[in-house]
Amino acid sequence: MTAAALAAVCGLALPATAARAGTSGYAPPAAEWWMTSWSVPQQVWPVTQGAGTTVAVLDSGVAATAPDLKGTVLAGTDTVTPGGDGDRDYAPAPGHGTLSAEMIAGQGTGGGPVGLAPRARILPVRVDGPGPASPASVPAGIRYAVQHGASVISLSFGIRYQSATFCEPPVQAAVSYALAHNVVVVADAGDASPGSKGLVEPASCSGALAVGGIEPTGKLWAHSTLAPYVSVAAPADRVPVTGPAGQPGTASGTSYSASLVAATAALIRSRYPKMPWYQVDQRIIGTTASVPPAENNDYGFGYGYGILNVAHAVNASKYPVPASAPNPPYIRYVAWLNTMNGQAWAQANGVTVPAPGGVSGNSGSTTLPAQVRKLLTRGHLLAGGVIAAIVVLVLTAALLLILRARRKRRLAGPADPAWPAGVPGSPDAPSAFETPEAFPVPVPDTEAEPEAETAQRPQDSPGT
């Protein structure tokens, strides 16, 4: 598809060849339609490009020799075939893990893709390919990533859940291990047949930031899994790729949505290095752009709380998010910690379990639903697996009721005039939350600290 044709499909006014580089030194191809709709070269890269962060890509491996990843890929590991270092992609060309990594930190060499966080480093961890990931390879990969300096983990795969708790205990324990070490965990919501509500892990695991997918128009991508654990949506369709023979093409999948959200987390962590993982999640969720009015029927199931808005997410001073804003990953993580399984894991790992009655982020509430609190206080009467399942089910039902009520309010009101037609996540779209309130869990004063990354000089490169 030509740049002009893609611009027509996206409803965007794009240059004929590439988006403006601004002061960043990077010029993404016009086919990366999200770069223009988010004004990345002009509003994001002048303040943060992801320097100083490491994003672990758990996937089919990453081709470290790919021109667009030159200088960005660290030595990793292979949890499928012991002894490997993750620098080979076992998926068919151009490689699933390689493209996921390019969405995060591609360099645009030779006109290829430029990643959303081009100065971040990629830690390749192979957990699947050619077969699917497993509850054995994934936990080992997550723990390796944490132990080797990742500040963000991108889980661009899905396993159909088989556990009553919606997440295999070893996978949940590994996700919790990452969170306990202050690592942001991002997972794709899953790719399914249109309208499917089949759940997948690790997106369904408590504490994971699950991401759905959209098309260039802002419409929900037809194959994005509808699930109550989805927190945010990001581009999933018409992702530009280069085929084995160098021919241009496109790819689709919520794996790439997760990659873009993981890159956003890296941008935030680069600018605010002391911001804890749950506040990074809350910023991403709390600065989302409104869903197109015609798409409200899927609100809360495919979109989560809205469409990723990178320019707002990386600017805490201009776009503050109140501490009481929704934070489903944190709520679900605390709920799991308060189950018998979670308490046993926390005790074994020296993790303090927050009191269930003092959790913020439940759509403005400062407490968990009463049903959940009651179950938690009676947890000693039930087996660990049963109580965990009940807690997750009740919590999911409560979140569904909240989202359904919000959807009804949105449908009853007038169409959102701030939504620019065909431009998902426009930096000028309204933030979802604007009323500041106190957060009951102590967090560092990130706004008062000097920012770790300032505007980059055009001559800066990943190696500097």
Side-chain angles (χ1 to χ4, degrees):
M1 180 178 292
T2 66
L6 184 62
V9 172
C10 298
L12 303 175
L14 301 181
T17 56
R20 289 177 295 161
T23 60
S24 69
Y26 294 99
E32 292 184 90
W33 50 271
W34 50 89
M35 292 290 192
T36 298
S37 54
W38 286 333
S39 297
V40 172
Q42 297 78 32
Q43 297 193 34
V44 177
W45 287 342
V47 295
T48 175
Q49 296 175 18
T53 62
T54 296
V55 181
V57 175
L58 273 65
D59 208 303
S60 55
V62 175
T65 57
D68 293 309
L69 291 174
K70 184 178 180 180
T72 69
V73 182
L74 305 172
T77 195
D78 185 333
T79 63
V80 179
T81 305
D85 59 8
D87 65 353
R88 173 187 172 188
D89 198 326
Y90 286 80
H96 190 272
T98 302
L99 181 55
S100 296
E102 289 176 338
M103 297 280 283
I104 297 168
Q107 298 300 295
T109 305
V114 177
L116 188 57
R119 286 171 58 86
R121 294 290 182 270
I122 298 296
L123 181 66
V125 181
R126 181 196 173 201
V127 297
D128 63 14
S134 73
S137 63
V138 174
I142 292 175
R143 290 176 181 274
Y144 178 91
V146 173
Q147 294 163 2
H148 288 78
S151 58
V152 179
I153 295 177
S154 180
L155 305 170
S156 46
F157 59 88
I159 308 171
R160 291 295 170 186
Y161 81 95
Q162 301 175 11
S163 170
T165 59
F166 301 107
C167 180
E168 295 292 331
V171 180
Q172 179 62 68
V175 170
S176 300
Y177 174 80
L179 301 178
H181 287 80
N182 198 28
V183 177
V184 177
V185 178
V186 180
D188 71 67
D191 303 343
S193 57
S196 171
K197 296 184 180 180
L199 306 182
V200 298
E201 58 178 306
S204 60
C205 297
S206 298
L209 178 59
V211 187
I214 60 167
E215 298 176 356
T217 60
K219 181 179 176 64
L220 191 70
W221 182 52
H223 296 277
S224 185
T225 297
L226 305 181
Y229 53 68
V230 176
S231 291
V232 65
D237 198 18
R238 295 182 178 88
V239 176
V241 299
T242 301
Q247 73 276 23
T250 60
S252 300
T254 56
S255 293
Y256 311 121
S257 310
S259 298
L260 290 172
V261 172
T264 301
L267 292 171
I268 295 172
R269 302 213 93 167
S270 178
R271 190 172 190 189
Y272 308 108
K274 293 187 178 180
M275 185 176 288
W277 71 267
Y278 51 85
Q279 196 174 0
V280 174
D281 283 4
Q282 195 173 43
R283 278 211 59 77
I284 291 173
I285 296 168
T287 56
T288 52
S290 302
V291 176
E295 298 301 316
N296 273 328
N297 286 336
D298 289 323
Y299 193 77
F301 295 89
Y303 289 99
Y305 283 83
I307 298 173
L308 180 66
N309 187 329
V310 181
H312 285 193
V314 302
N315 197 331
S317 297
K318 188 174 181 180
Y319 302 103
V321 173
S324 60
N327 197 350
Y330 181 71
I331 290 258
R332 295 176 65 235
Y333 172 62
V334 172
W336 180 77
L337 283 178
N338 278 276
T339 65
M340 289 183 66
N341 285 348
Q343 289 177 346
W345 176 88
Q347 183 175 5
N349 288 272
V351 174
T352 300
V353 179
V359 180
S360 179
N362 188 14
S363 193
S365 172
T366 56
T367 60
L368 287 174
Q371 302 97 317
V372 177
R373 297 200 308 276
K374 184 177 180 180
L375 285 170
L376 294 178
T377 58
R378 296 171 53 194
H380 65 281
L381 299 178
L382 300 174
V386 176
I387 180 64
I390 293 175
V391 168
V392 172
L393 286 171
V394 173
L395 181 59
T396 298
L399 290 175
L400 283 174
L401 290 174
I402 294 168
L403 291 169
R404 197 166 292 168
R406 293 178 71 233
R407 184 181 67 191
K408 288 181 179 179
R409 289 198 299 271
R410 295 175 69 88
L411 289 174
D416 186 352
W419 176 261
V423 186
S426 167
D428 295 324
S431 295
F433 316 103
E434 297 177 357
T435 306
E437 293 183 26
F439 199 94
V441 179
V443 297
D445 185 4
T446 55
E447 307 250 354
E449 296 171 357
E451 296 175 353
E453 184 175 18
T454 57
Q456 306 298 327
R457 299 185 304 275
Q459 65 268 28
D460 284 346
S461 66
T464 59

